[in-house]
Amino acid sequence: MTAGALSWPRLAAATGRDLFELRDVLERTPPPPPDILLCEYCGRPPRPNVEAGPAP
């Protein structure tokens, strides 16, 4: 297994959820739109058309 690889059985065991139900929900749930994402450092939404700089 490589770092960052998803293991459905381990995720299901860690969350206490049914493997098939968890997989179904996560695979059909779309990611949030970019305007809802927030910066993990400052908590602000990304500025349009601005390239991300280095982390503080």
Side-chain angles (χ1 to χ4, degrees), residues 8-19 22 26:
W8 288 110
R10 291 182 70 191
L11 182 60
T15 60
R17 304 285 183 162
D18 176 68
L19 171 65
L22 179 67
L26 291 178

Side-chain angles (χ1 to χ4, degrees), residues 30-44:
D35 59 338
I36 294 180
L37 299 177
L38 300 176
C39 174
E40 64 183 89
Y41 297 105
C42 68
R44 296 185 202 156

